Amino acid sequence: MKYSNRKVLVWFIMFLSIILITSCDGKKNARQPKMAHADSVIFDVGSHKDYERMRALSDSFELSKDISSLNANRWRGVSYYRQGQYRLAEIYYRKALESDIKSEQDLVSYIKVARRLSELLLVKGDFEGALRIAIPAVAKMDEKGVGSDIDYAILLNNIGCCQLNLGRDEEADKSFKTARGHYANRWQTDSTSRGFQEAVIGTVYTSMAYINMRRYAESIYWIDRTEMLLDKYRERPDARSEYFDEYQGRIEIMRAVALQGLDKTKDAREAYQAFLKTNYSKTGPGRINANEYLVAAQRFAEAADNYQVLDKTLHDWGMEPSLDNIQLYMLPKFFANDKAGRRDSARVIAERIFELLDTAIVNQKNSATAELATIYDTQGKEAEIALQQAKLNKQRLISTGVALALVVIFFTIYTLHRRRATQRLSSAHNKLEEAHQKLKVAYDQLEETTAAKERIESELRIARNIQQSIVPSIFPKYQGLDLYAYMMPAKEVGGDLYDYLLDDKHIYVCLGDVSGKGVPASLFMAQAARLFRAMAKQQMMPADIATRLNDELCEGNENGMFVTMFLALINLETGTMDFCNAGHNPPVLGDKFMEIETNAPIGLWPGLKFVGEHIDNIIGQSLFLYSDGLNEAENKEQEQFGDDHLLEILDTMHFDNARQLIEYMRDAVEKHRNGALPNDDLTMMELKFDKNKE
């Protein structure tokens, strides 16, 4: 009888064990459908723009393990992205990518996060950061065979845009063409218009990347391709008219900018007229977008009129004053009004910029503080989730113990297991408290360093734009005169300068190089440029200008800064040139370096009298001015570009105009550097005058 009872007990234990094991397997198998359902619920809430609810559901589903940590952070990032809080979106997208990939669904979410995060980094100009996100994502897709054509297309398009901006042209071209193939696969297999719509957006990004790099001829190819895709989208029965109207407007304005950059002014005007026929051209964003062409075409009055809707447009976009918005919108508005001769309006805008700067800096500090607070709060939530999960595990153990309490032997096992679980819970709690304190100290330090770093970077970006606005970007249209110049600082701001002043019969030109680099050099450069223009307006001779400049810049120059400079006055009726070289590199006239009088640099010794020189006729000859950032440009082996290489290009190459020469020389320097960082500011000016030439 006792043996029989023991046998029944054994079978009962086995029966309970089978039930428990089957129950665990059932939970594991049911998890995937539950995860899909949780994603669907969060997506539906997001479609109703209830973003706080999206984040609350993400917390809840992560706690119940209905979604993974990777997916929960992805949805949090999506919610902030849709609210326009891109910094917070970036933080959560990065947290998602740092999470472990435990399932195929996690891998799909990882790829979608990489798409969005690489796009965010691309838009804000962090090209290397975007590549570090996008390239591993494509590698995982290739390795695992997971991901759609649109995932491939968007990631490859982002990679191509970054490579193009980093000067890796061949790689960019390959990425764009591969992306194009995936876009084609997408629209050929998609019964809706969505594939064409996504392809249009991708090719717009590509077109803009080439335009931003001033690669106008290549941008035309992608603009035409964008229009072809938009035409295919328009043929679809589910196409939205407002969508293709907006993108038709974007296409025409991009084409106008590219054609203007290629000096095809008539074709550019026709593209702009086509843009004006769209409804998009009458919207605030459309009018602001049109100004890129209007400024390039020197139609400043029209651009200034368009900027009258800027405040309302920024308000409609929900944009608060920020350093980026001042740089992107307020400074161009000032520039357009200034060039249009609307001095009163320009002054009002300048005063408004100064008012907004304080607000923008305060907003940036508050934003950084709020972001850090959110991050800190998130760490608290994660700790709370971990504790609650531990409590749930404890409750499950208790339930299992109750079920097995019918069997005495399992009661002992349960007691020991419970004791160990309690110890692990206590240990986990202590570790979380320790981590909590470390995180608090770390984020307090991060708040100070991040705010300071971002403020400095933003202020330097604004300083760079202000400095670029000091030197002219529009060059004269005068019969027989071909003039173009280019300046690229080695750092955010630099010390090189160039300028010109044109009247009915004469043109003054100058090109200079301030000692040192960075902010001090840029301030000295701004002062020198301002004084040159003021003295040229008084129609002084170049040597007299150099003498006066020297006296002015020596005053209060305790740091011993100086500027080397070449100044010239050219008579556009006779072709004579009066000039003065103040310690600067000798220009190239024709195909030889000029033999010139050596004067001291400007700003070192007060009371100097600078010696000027004269050439009877330069008509039909190329005059090439440059700073030593050209001939002394170094590659990774510290080999210089050199004077001989410079002369070889000028002597053997044929150029149709001054701009073509400058751009070729710029590309030649980049090719020589071969990836090495610039060691000095680079400035060049080409001038050629032939009064008999149209």
Side-chain angles (χ1 to χ4, degrees), residues 188-199:
Q188 289 167 4
T189 57
D190 190 354
S191 60
T192 70
S193 64
R194 182 68 180 171
F196 286 106
Q197 188 173 340
E198 290 162 340

Side-chain angles (χ1 to χ4, degrees), residues 16-28:
L16 285 175
S17 300
I18 291 169
I19 291 174
L20 288 169
I21 292 169
T22 305
S23 173
C24 291
D25 287 343
K27 288 179 181 177
K28 184 176 180 180

Side-chain angles (χ1 to χ4, degrees), residues 519-539:
V519 173
S522 71
L523 295 174
F524 202 79
M525 162 268 191
Q527 189 177 10
R530 177 182 61 81
L531 289 169
F532 165 78
R533 178 162 282 265
M535 295 173 189
K537 287 181 179 179
Q538 299 176 34
Q539 298 183 343

Side-chain angles (χ1 to χ4, degrees), residues 1-33:
M1 181 69 179
K2 290 180 180 178
Y3 172 78
S4 178
N5 288 338
R6 285 197 299 271
K7 187 175 181 180
V8 170
L9 182 59
V10 169
W11 279 105
F12 184 63
I13 292 170
M14 292 175 63
F15 176 72
L16 285 175
S17 300
I18 291 169
I19 291 174
L20 288 169
I21 292 169
T22 305
S23 173
C24 291
D25 287 343
K27 288 179 181 177
K28 184 176 180 180
N29 293 332
R31 187 171 298 163
Q32 292 300 327

